[in-house]
Amino acid sequence: MKAFIVKSYGKKEKLHLTDWAEPTVKENDVLVQVHSAGVNLLDSLIRNGEFKLFLPYKPPFVNGHDVAGVVTKVGSKVSKFKVGDEVYSRVSDYRIGTFAEFISIDENDVALKPKNLSMEEAGSIPLVGLTSWQALVEIANVKKGQKVFIQAGSGGVGTFAIQLAKHLGAFVATTTSSKNIDLVKSLGADLIIDYKKEDFETKLKDYDLVLHSNRDTKILEKSLRILKSGGQLISLVGPPTPEFANAIGLPWYLKLVINLLSFSARKKAKKMNVSFKFLFMRAEGKQLGEITKLIETGVIKPVIDIVFPFEQTNQALSYVETGRSKGKVVVKVK
């Protein structure tokens, strides 16, 4: 099969289109013929080697985390899916490789594709959908009437998280540039801040939750300050926390490193009586099934900026890296 592989780590490295062995199918796996693959900043960070401390992939390997496609083969113990099912998934860490014609995925990480979406739309959903779900539902348990600040409202996670937070009954504030104000308004944002002209700290106060996605430490500090006592900040960009290090079972010396990385942020949060949490989302077919219901009932709609042909996967990654995409970027494989 054809696949885009990481030959060696590095920011200047391109993915290489090559002939690659078709994946083996274990007893709990489904083999999926890839129709589309969502493109995420995570794919760039993996290629750059920024996560090799705790996700030590050994090049060469196939990149890509999001997929929509058709089941072509099932393992001997698979009970939830059959050949011909249209499915989608954010595949597990260490099982990545959606920038390819086929991928083998544990059935627990897979859900049936929403019937009302095209393959390209479905391929755009898993990573941003699960990130939003795990932040807003699982960790924050957002309740009706709470105030939620979602940074970068017109980005991949932002466009999904705004819709989910509104569905949960929250008042939603977000940041975007002036050209995307109509987009985030159409998704349900209640208060929109043009980050180029306005400082969100002067507009927001006593928030229950911040979904944080900006690497600037000043933005992190401001975000902590707008929370009410007992509020929480969930960061998608880090720094990672000791809880995260424990959850993924890192060795003691890496736990030490991670403890130091997030020490300052956690200390500031504690001083303000708020919490700082780091979310590195995980694959989860059950939660994706819940997301499917929300999409099929029209509660959440995908937002896609550009669909690139498979051959242009590197261009798709470069475009995502600009940080200017409105919603999601997708690669059409079939």
Side-chain angles (χ1 to χ4, degrees):
M1 67 169 188
K2 295 277 184 219
F4 272 97
I5 64 165
V6 176
K7 276 191 180 172
S8 56
Y9 285 125
K11 283 188 180 173
K12 299 230 163 70
E13 290 296 321
K14 291 269 182 255
L15 301 181
H16 296 264
L17 183 59
T18 188
D19 287 312
W20 197 253
E22 201 171 286
T24 50
V25 181
K26 299 178 196 155
E27 58 187 19
N28 294 312
D29 289 352
V30 295
L31 184 69
V32 175
Q33 182 172 29
V34 180
H35 282 238
S36 71
V39 183
N40 300 286
L41 197 54
L42 176 60
D43 305 315
S44 290
L45 298 173
I46 294 280
R47 179 207 61 203
N48 297 351
E50 290 188 34
F51 287 147
K52 63 184 178 194
L53 191 66
F54 53 83
L55 283 176
Y57 294 110
K58 286 191 174 65
F61 61 89
V62 186
N63 205 349
H65 294 74
D66 269 339
V67 61
V70 176
V71 175
T72 58
K73 200 172 176 183
V74 297
S76 58
K77 292 197 173 164
V78 168
S79 60
K80 299 174 191 164
F81 302 97
K82 62 186 186 307
V83 170
D85 280 346
E86 296 192 337
V87 295
Y88 68 152
S89 173
R90 188 289 198 188
V91 299
S92 280
D93 298 324
Y94 298 112
R95 303 280 311 259
I96 68 172
T98 61
F99 298 156
E101 291 177 315
F102 289 90
I103 185 164
S104 187
I105 318 169
D106 187 298
E107 69 167 339
N108 290 322
D109 299 337
V110 178
L112 289 170
K113 173 183 91 65
K115 292 185 183 72
N116 56 337
L117 295 192
S118 68
M119 284 290 184
E120 290 78 41
E121 289 171 325
S124 77
I125 295 285
L127 186 139
V128 296
L130 288 169
T131 299
S132 304
W133 185 277
Q134 287 165 20
L136 301 176
V137 178
E138 186 176 80
I139 300 174
N141 191 16
V142 169
K143 298 270 192 290
K144 197 174 178 192
Q146 286 189 318
K147 296 200 298 187
V148 175
F149 173 41
I150 295 165
Q151 293 170 356
S154 57
V157 173
T159 51
F160 194 102
I162 289 170
Q163 296 178 80
L164 181 58
K166 286 308 294 174
H167 170 66
L168 297 170
F171 176 91
V172 178
T174 192
T175 46
T176 193
S177 62
S178 53
K179 67 176 187 295
N180 294 326
I181 284 172
D182 289 343
L183 169 67
V184 295
K185 195 177 274 179
S186 74
L187 300 172
D190 298 289
L191 177 58
I192 302 162
I193 295 153
D194 181 345
Y195 72 90
K196 289 181 178 170
K197 298 176 188 164
E198 301 169 301
D199 177 357
F200 70 82
E201 193 186 3
T202 63
K203 302 250 171 185
L204 310 179
K205 194 175 173 241
D206 291 335
Y207 269 64
D208 297 277
L209 172 69
V210 173
L211 188 56
H212 168 257
S213 57
N214 188 304
R215 287 167 181 265
D216 183 339
T217 49
K218 288 197 177 102
I219 299 284
L220 175 58
E221 285 169 23
K222 287 180 177 202
S223 302
L224 289 168
R225 288 198 290 265
I226 67 158
L227 286 166
K228 70 180 195 190
S229 178
Q232 53 186 333
L233 181 142
I234 299 173
S235 179
L236 307 178
V237 291
T241 59
E243 291 79 12
F244 164 75
N246 288 332
I248 65 164
L250 289 182
W252 67 269
Y253 54 91
L254 289 182
K255 285 181 179 174
L256 209 61
V257 171
I258 280 179
N259 193 12
L260 289 170
L261 284 175
S262 60
F263 180 74
S264 167
R266 288 180 291 117
K267 190 179 172 190
K268 281 173 186 143
K270 196 174 178 184
K271 208 171 167 184
M272 298 175 198
N273 196 33
V274 298
S275 72
F276 172 85
K277 289 172 183 164
F278 171 65
L279 169 63
F280 191 78
M281 62 74 60
R282 63 180 195 283
E284 183 66 70
K286 251 193 203 132
Q287 291 178 349
L288 206 48
E290 294 299 315
I291 288 165
T292 296
K293 289 178 201 166
L294 294 180
I295 291 169
E296 288 184 342
T297 53
V299 170
I300 289 176
K301 294 178 174 67
V303 179
I304 292 185
D305 189 340
I306 302 182
V307 177
F308 285 85
F310 184 46
E311 300 71 40
Q312 292 180 17
T313 298
N314 278 308
Q315 288 92 317
L317 266 177
S318 299
Y319 183 62
V320 167
E321 285 164 15
T322 65
R324 295 198 194 101
S325 58
K326 286 188 267 192
K328 285 302 299 281
V329 173
V330 177
V331 165
K332 182 178 169 68
V333 181
K334 184 175 164 55

